Amino acid sequence: YITVKTSALVDIVDAIGGIDFDVPINMDYDDDTQDLHIHLKAGQQKINGEKAEQLVRFRHNSDGSTYPAEYGIEDIGRMKTQRNFLKALAKQTLKIENIFKINEFIDIAKKYVETNISFDVIKDYVPYIAEFNSDNLRTEHLPGQSEKCNGWWMYTANESKTAKLIDKMFLNPELQDEEIDTSSVDTTGIDKEKIKIEYKYNYGN
């Protein structure tokens, strides 16, 4: 497992000199209670660490408008933007000129990342970074829906569709290139004892 504070994202983005990214919509949001202020214009631009945090935390504008339905509104849109940005971050971090900053990246990770993987083990994979093709990086969004609980908006995973997604991504690789209708879920053949999922959310990080 891995838990990453947004401070790590800010520092890594700044360490590699910013990320070229196409911001999908105008983002204009202020929340004094969180000291969260998001002001980004749509379009291709260089995103520094401060803007990166604004980008990945954006859910809707102060006037209530959000991502268009075809993109995915509210949490769905935010997760899509996060996935796209992390792909761009991976691609630009793995440029050959940034490989020599690996120790700086590890120092940032030690400060802001909580994981059960030893950093000594992570260092062992450094020689393989140059061979990694970020175009093969695959992400999916967790099936579920947004709902309000005790006054707080939460994103609740759909357990049966999540099990189907895990089957598709990890247990039956031959299904990965197929479009699977997850509205009808069959988890036959999945050994749930071999699956471990941990979800951790730190509000405000």
PDB file of all heavy atoms in Angstrom, residues 162-164 166-167 170-171 187 189-198:
ATOM      1  N   THR A 162     -16.332  -3.606  -8.238  1.00  0.00           N
ATOM      2  CA  THR A 162     -14.906  -3.534  -7.922  1.00  0.00           C
ATOM      3  C   THR A 162     -14.265  -4.916  -8.020  1.00  0.00           C
ATOM      4  O   THR A 162     -13.158  -5.070  -8.543  1.00  0.00           O
ATOM      5  CB  THR A 162     -14.688  -2.954  -6.510  1.00  0.00           C
ATOM      6  OG1 THR A 162     -15.184  -1.612  -6.475  1.00  0.00           O
ATOM      7  CG2 THR A 162     -13.212  -2.944  -6.140  1.00  0.00           C
ATOM      8  N   ALA A 163     -14.967  -5.930  -7.534  1.00  0.00           N
ATOM      9  CA  ALA A 163     -14.459  -7.303  -7.636  1.00  0.00           C
ATOM     10  C   ALA A 163     -14.276  -7.701  -9.099  1.00  0.00           C
ATOM     11  O   ALA A 163     -13.295  -8.349  -9.465  1.00  0.00           O
ATOM     12  CB  ALA A 163     -15.419  -8.269  -6.941  1.00  0.00           C
ATOM     13  N   LYS A 164     -15.217  -7.289  -9.947  1.00  0.00           N
ATOM     14  CA  LYS A 164     -15.119  -7.587 -11.377  1.00  0.00           C
ATOM     15  C   LYS A 164     -13.916  -6.880 -11.998  1.00  0.00           C
ATOM     16  O   LYS A 164     -13.196  -7.453 -12.821  1.00  0.00           O
ATOM     17  CB  LYS A 164     -16.405  -7.158 -12.078  1.00  0.00           C
ATOM     18  CG  LYS A 164     -16.491  -7.569 -13.537  1.00  0.00           C
ATOM     19  CD  LYS A 164     -16.621  -9.068 -13.686  1.00  0.00           C
ATOM     20  CE  LYS A 164     -16.865  -9.451 -15.137  1.00  0.00           C
ATOM     21  NZ  LYS A 164     -17.021 -10.908 -15.307  1.00  0.00           N
ATOM     22  N   ILE A 166     -11.159  -5.950 -10.432  1.00  0.00           N
ATOM     23  CA  ILE A 166      -9.945  -6.615  -9.949  1.00  0.00           C
ATOM     24  C   ILE A 166      -9.689  -7.893 -10.744  1.00  0.00           C
ATOM     25  O   ILE A 166      -8.559  -8.204 -11.123  1.00  0.00           O
ATOM     26  CB  ILE A 166     -10.067  -6.930  -8.443  1.00  0.00           C
ATOM     27  CG1 ILE A 166     -10.040  -5.628  -7.633  1.00  0.00           C
ATOM     28  CG2 ILE A 166      -8.935  -7.852  -7.980  1.00  0.00           C
ATOM     29  CD1 ILE A 166     -10.372  -5.816  -6.177  1.00  0.00           C
ATOM     30  N   ASP A 167     -10.758  -8.627 -11.018  1.00  0.00           N
ATOM     31  CA  ASP A 167     -10.641  -9.846 -11.814  1.00  0.00           C
ATOM     32  C   ASP A 167     -10.073  -9.517 -13.192  1.00  0.00           C
ATOM     33  O   ASP A 167      -9.168 -10.186 -13.700  1.00  0.00           O
ATOM     34  CB  ASP A 167     -12.024 -10.497 -11.940  1.00  0.00           C
ATOM     35  CG  ASP A 167     -11.960 -11.867 -12.594  1.00  0.00           C
ATOM     36  OD1 ASP A 167     -10.889 -12.512 -12.527  1.00  0.00           O
ATOM     37  OD2 ASP A 167     -12.966 -12.293 -13.182  1.00  0.00           O
ATOM     38  N   PHE A 170      -6.158  -8.003 -12.669  1.00  0.00           N
ATOM     39  CA  PHE A 170      -5.098  -8.737 -11.993  1.00  0.00           C
ATOM     40  C   PHE A 170      -5.190 -10.259 -12.090  1.00  0.00           C
ATOM     41  O   PHE A 170      -4.172 -10.935 -12.175  1.00  0.00           O
ATOM     42  CB  PHE A 170      -5.058  -8.355 -10.510  1.00  0.00           C
ATOM     43  CG  PHE A 170      -4.801  -6.897 -10.270  1.00  0.00           C
ATOM     44  CD1 PHE A 170      -5.809  -6.079  -9.807  1.00  0.00           C
ATOM     45  CD2 PHE A 170      -3.559  -6.342 -10.527  1.00  0.00           C
ATOM     46  CE1 PHE A 170      -5.584  -4.731  -9.589  1.00  0.00           C
ATOM     47  CE2 PHE A 170      -3.317  -4.999 -10.313  1.00  0.00           C
ATOM     48  CZ  PHE A 170      -4.331  -4.192  -9.840  1.00  0.00           C
ATOM     49  N   LEU A 171      -6.392 -10.786 -12.042  1.00  0.00           N
ATOM     50  CA  LEU A 171      -6.537 -12.228 -11.937  1.00  0.00           C
ATOM     51  C   LEU A 171      -6.723 -12.915 -13.280  1.00  0.00           C
ATOM     52  O   LEU A 171      -6.349 -14.071 -13.449  1.00  0.00           O
ATOM     53  CB  LEU A 171      -7.713 -12.574 -11.011  1.00  0.00           C
ATOM     54  CG  LEU A 171      -7.628 -11.959  -9.611  1.00  0.00           C
ATOM     55  CD1 LEU A 171      -8.844 -12.334  -8.784  1.00  0.00           C
ATOM     56  CD2 LEU A 171      -6.349 -12.400  -8.908  1.00  0.00           C
ATOM     57  N   THR A 187     -18.581 -12.961 -10.020  1.00  0.00           N
ATOM     58  CA  THR A 187     -17.262 -13.067  -9.396  1.00  0.00           C
ATOM     59  C   THR A 187     -16.810 -14.517  -9.253  1.00  0.00           C
ATOM     60  O   THR A 187     -15.930 -14.819  -8.460  1.00  0.00           O
ATOM     61  CB  THR A 187     -17.278 -12.393  -8.005  1.00  0.00           C
ATOM     62  OG1 THR A 187     -18.269 -13.028  -7.196  1.00  0.00           O
ATOM     63  CG2 THR A 187     -17.589 -10.913  -8.125  1.00  0.00           C
ATOM     64  N   GLY A 189     -14.854 -17.727  -9.526  1.00  0.00           N
ATOM     65  CA  GLY A 189     -13.444 -17.977  -9.804  1.00  0.00           C
ATOM     66  C   GLY A 189     -12.503 -17.047  -9.079  1.00  0.00           C
ATOM     67  O   GLY A 189     -11.291 -17.216  -9.140  1.00  0.00           O
ATOM     68  N   ILE A 190     -13.048 -16.031  -8.405  1.00  0.00           N
ATOM     69  CA  ILE A 190     -12.195 -15.104  -7.670  1.00  0.00           C
ATOM     70  C   ILE A 190     -11.994 -15.619  -6.249  1.00  0.00           C
ATOM     71  O   ILE A 190     -12.953 -15.834  -5.519  1.00  0.00           O
ATOM     72  CB  ILE A 190     -12.815 -13.693  -7.627  1.00  0.00           C
ATOM     73  CG1 ILE A 190     -12.959 -13.131  -9.047  1.00  0.00           C
ATOM     74  CG2 ILE A 190     -11.985 -12.765  -6.774  1.00  0.00           C
ATOM     75  CD1 ILE A 190     -13.592 -11.768  -9.095  1.00  0.00           C
ATOM     76  N   ASP A 191     -10.753 -15.833  -5.889  1.00  0.00           N
ATOM     77  CA  ASP A 191     -10.418 -16.249  -4.535  1.00  0.00           C
ATOM     78  C   ASP A 191     -10.240 -14.993  -3.690  1.00  0.00           C
ATOM     79  O   ASP A 191      -9.199 -14.345  -3.708  1.00  0.00           O
ATOM     80  CB  ASP A 191      -9.136 -17.075  -4.538  1.00  0.00           C
ATOM     81  CG  ASP A 191      -8.823 -17.636  -3.147  1.00  0.00           C
ATOM     82  OD1 ASP A 191      -9.546 -17.286  -2.197  1.00  0.00           O
ATOM     83  OD2 ASP A 191      -7.861 -18.412  -3.038  1.00  0.00           O
ATOM     84  N   LYS A 192     -11.296 -14.610  -2.966  1.00  0.00           N
ATOM     85  CA  LYS A 192     -11.261 -13.360  -2.214  1.00  0.00           C
ATOM     86  C   LYS A 192     -10.230 -13.374  -1.104  1.00  0.00           C
ATOM     87  O   LYS A 192      -9.815 -12.320  -0.621  1.00  0.00           O
ATOM     88  CB  LYS A 192     -12.652 -13.070  -1.642  1.00  0.00           C
ATOM     89  CG  LYS A 192     -13.695 -12.804  -2.723  1.00  0.00           C
ATOM     90  CD  LYS A 192     -15.040 -12.459  -2.112  1.00  0.00           C
ATOM     91  CE  LYS A 192     -16.070 -12.180  -3.213  1.00  0.00           C
ATOM     92  NZ  LYS A 192     -17.391 -11.836  -2.638  1.00  0.00           N
ATOM     93  N   GLU A 193      -9.782 -14.575  -0.687  1.00  0.00           N
ATOM     94  CA  GLU A 193      -8.764 -14.657   0.359  1.00  0.00           C
ATOM     95  C   GLU A 193      -7.417 -14.126  -0.132  1.00  0.00           C
ATOM     96  O   GLU A 193      -6.561 -13.751   0.667  1.00  0.00           O
ATOM     97  CB  GLU A 193      -8.612 -16.114   0.829  1.00  0.00           C
ATOM     98  CG  GLU A 193      -9.855 -16.696   1.498  1.00  0.00           C
ATOM     99  CD  GLU A 193     -10.240 -15.921   2.755  1.00  0.00           C
ATOM    100  OE1 GLU A 193      -9.327 -15.533   3.505  1.00  0.00           O
ATOM    101  OE2 GLU A 193     -11.444 -15.701   2.968  1.00  0.00           O
ATOM    102  N   LYS A 194      -7.235 -14.082  -1.463  1.00  0.00           N
ATOM    103  CA  LYS A 194      -5.970 -13.635  -2.028  1.00  0.00           C
ATOM    104  C   LYS A 194      -5.989 -12.157  -2.391  1.00  0.00           C
ATOM    105  O   LYS A 194      -5.002 -11.630  -2.895  1.00  0.00           O
ATOM    106  CB  LYS A 194      -5.624 -14.466  -3.268  1.00  0.00           C
ATOM    107  CG  LYS A 194      -5.367 -15.931  -2.965  1.00  0.00           C
ATOM    108  CD  LYS A 194      -4.992 -16.695  -4.226  1.00  0.00           C
ATOM    109  CE  LYS A 194      -4.725 -18.162  -3.921  1.00  0.00           C
ATOM    110  NZ  LYS A 194      -4.364 -18.919  -5.135  1.00  0.00           N
ATOM    111  N   ILE A 195      -7.106 -11.511  -2.159  1.00  0.00           N
ATOM    112  CA  ILE A 195      -7.240 -10.103  -2.507  1.00  0.00           C
ATOM    113  C   ILE A 195      -7.231  -9.260  -1.241  1.00  0.00           C
ATOM    114  O   ILE A 195      -7.976  -9.516  -0.316  1.00  0.00           O
ATOM    115  CB  ILE A 195      -8.548  -9.838  -3.287  1.00  0.00           C
ATOM    116  CG1 ILE A 195      -8.571 -10.659  -4.578  1.00  0.00           C
ATOM    117  CG2 ILE A 195      -8.699  -8.348  -3.593  1.00  0.00           C
ATOM    118  CD1 ILE A 195      -9.877 -10.583  -5.299  1.00  0.00           C
ATOM    119  N   LYS A 196      -6.361  -8.253  -1.232  1.00  0.00           N
ATOM    120  CA  LYS A 196      -6.319  -7.346  -0.087  1.00  0.00           C
ATOM    121  C   LYS A 196      -6.355  -5.915  -0.608  1.00  0.00           C
ATOM    122  O   LYS A 196      -5.491  -5.509  -1.384  1.00  0.00           O
ATOM    123  CB  LYS A 196      -5.064  -7.572   0.739  1.00  0.00           C
ATOM    124  CG  LYS A 196      -4.987  -6.651   1.965  1.00  0.00           C
ATOM    125  CD  LYS A 196      -3.739  -6.921   2.786  1.00  0.00           C
ATOM    126  CE  LYS A 196      -3.692  -6.009   4.003  1.00  0.00           C
ATOM    127  NZ  LYS A 196      -2.468  -6.219   4.815  1.00  0.00           N
ATOM    128  N   ILE A 197      -7.349  -5.170  -0.179  1.00  0.00           N
ATOM    129  CA  ILE A 197      -7.476  -3.774  -0.583  1.00  0.00           C
ATOM    130  C   ILE A 197      -7.542  -2.920   0.672  1.00  0.00           C
ATOM    131  O   ILE A 197      -8.303  -3.215   1.588  1.00  0.00           O
ATOM    132  CB  ILE A 197      -8.745  -3.539  -1.426  1.00  0.00           C
ATOM    133  CG1 ILE A 197      -8.676  -4.352  -2.713  1.00  0.00           C
ATOM    134  CG2 ILE A 197      -8.905  -2.046  -1.741  1.00  0.00           C
ATOM    135  CD1 ILE A 197      -9.918  -4.243  -3.549  1.00  0.00           C
ATOM    136  N   GLU A 198      -6.717  -1.892   0.708  1.00  0.00           N
ATOM    137  CA  GLU A 198      -6.761  -0.971   1.839  1.00  0.00           C
ATOM    138  C   GLU A 198      -6.996   0.423   1.299  1.00  0.00           C
ATOM    139  O   GLU A 198      -6.303   0.879   0.384  1.00  0.00           O
ATOM    140  CB  GLU A 198      -5.442  -1.008   2.620  1.00  0.00           C
ATOM    141  CG  GLU A 198      -5.444  -0.055   3.812  1.00  0.00           C
ATOM    142  CD  GLU A 198      -4.213  -0.233   4.684  1.00  0.00           C
ATOM    143  OE1 GLU A 198      -3.734  -1.373   4.789  1.00  0.00           O
ATOM    144  OE2 GLU A 198      -3.754   0.765   5.238  1.00  0.00           O
TER     145      GLU A 198
END
